[in-house]
Amino acid sequence: RAKAEGRGRHRFFSRALHEAILARQSLQTELRQAFERREFSLVYQPKVNLWTREVLGAEALLRWVRPDGRAVSPMDFIPLAEESGLIVPLGAWVLETACAQSRAWAQQCGHDVPVSVNISPLQFTDPGFLATVQRCLQGSGLSPRLLELELTESMLMADLERVQQTLGALRALGVCVSIDDFGTGYSSLSYLRAFPVNTLKIDRSFLKTLPDDAQALAVVEAVVALGRSLNLGVIAEGVETPEQARSLLNLDCAAMQGYLFARPMPPAELLTWLRDWRAQSAEDADLSSLRD
Ligand code: C2E
Ligand code: MG
Ligand code: MG
Ligand code: MG
């Protein structure tokens, strides 16, 4: 009896597993079709310096809206695209589109709007990666210093020599590199010194509990100090409340990104947002000069 029961359970599990595999395969197929049918788009979220009120740039974030109107989160489809290899052409499309967008904004608003693009591990190790970056820069005519690539810690921990080579080549191109979700990976401080990166992006999980969480404060403080001593920029992501912004300013972290300033938005809306932000900043500056 026990044996029969065991067999039944086995059958049950393998059926569940089988179904899970089928579901994933069909999502893989759907993703590939979605790419061919151009169902992907980019939204952009500004990064600001709250001291100077300068707009530091905008991060491109990928969106997939199915024909039936349902949006799928990048947290769900990026891992799948990575698994199937689709991320290489999809990521190249993101780079190309974001570079062209930055150029278009500059022409529309008369000043530079740097753009940041998230890069996945498979893309970064792809032999064609550097050529893709170069092609996107040349194709769009974007100045390399206006392009920032967001990498994650785990990508840097892989093959030291190759990573160093790729980062060195990116630097030679004049492209900026930041480390996304900083503090969540297995960072060793020595690799930060060994790699030519420009900016650390403090993961938003450390911001959630500010300003009352002493440990979170200590982490932010440590990253800011690290950035200063290694001569790297530091930016906080996921800033949602004025209290969080204030405590970041107190810790000397003036570069921020988050819902407090703007949600990710379509390119045309970002243009309006930029205009409003600049108008507001000018008004604030006027008021403070009146006060003096
Ligand atoms: P990420 O690069 O760390 O991007 C930040 C995520 O936090 C974005 O989620 C953004 O919409 C969200 N966010 C921004 N401000 C706030 C805030 O104040 N509060 C909260 N709760 N969330 C905020 P999103 O767009 O869903 O993207 C999730 C992740 O998917 C990204 O994390 C990135 O790892 C990945 N991803 C998105 N687009 C791309 C892409 O084009 N290529 C690759 N390889 N990965 C991408
Ligand atoms: Mg990012
Ligand atoms: Mg991030
Ligand atoms: Mg994050």
Side-chain angles (χ1 to χ4, degrees), residues 118-165:
N118 292 286
I119 302 297
S120 89
L122 196 68
Q123 252 180 302
F124 189 68
T125 52
D126 184 76
F129 178 62
L130 283 168
T132 300
V133 173
Q134 254 172 319
R135 179 176 57 75
C136 293
L137 288 169
Q138 273 159 9
S140 61
L142 185 72
S143 163
R145 68 184 168 81
L146 299 178
L147 175 64
E148 179 182 65
L149 304 179
E150 297 195 1
L151 314 178
T152 54
E153 287 167 88
S154 56
M155 289 158 71
L156 304 186
M157 300 300 289
D159 176 348
L160 193 91
E161 233 164 87
R162 263 191 75 183
V163 170
Q164 227 159 1
Q165 240 171 35

Side-chain angles (χ1 to χ4, degrees), residues 232-278:
L232 303 174
V234 173
I235 182 167
E237 67 172 6
V239 181
E240 292 183 357
T241 68
E243 291 73 27
Q244 290 169 345
R246 202 166 303 128
S247 65
L248 285 165
L249 281 179
N250 284 334
L251 296 172
D252 251 342
C253 179
M256 304 182 203
Q257 180 183 5
Y259 294 166
L260 177 62
F261 312 103
R263 297 212 167 228
M265 56 194 136
E269 252 173 72
L270 189 97
L271 215 49
T272 313
W273 183 91
L274 282 171
R275 207 186 47 217
D276 292 350
W277 175 268
R278 283 160 74 90

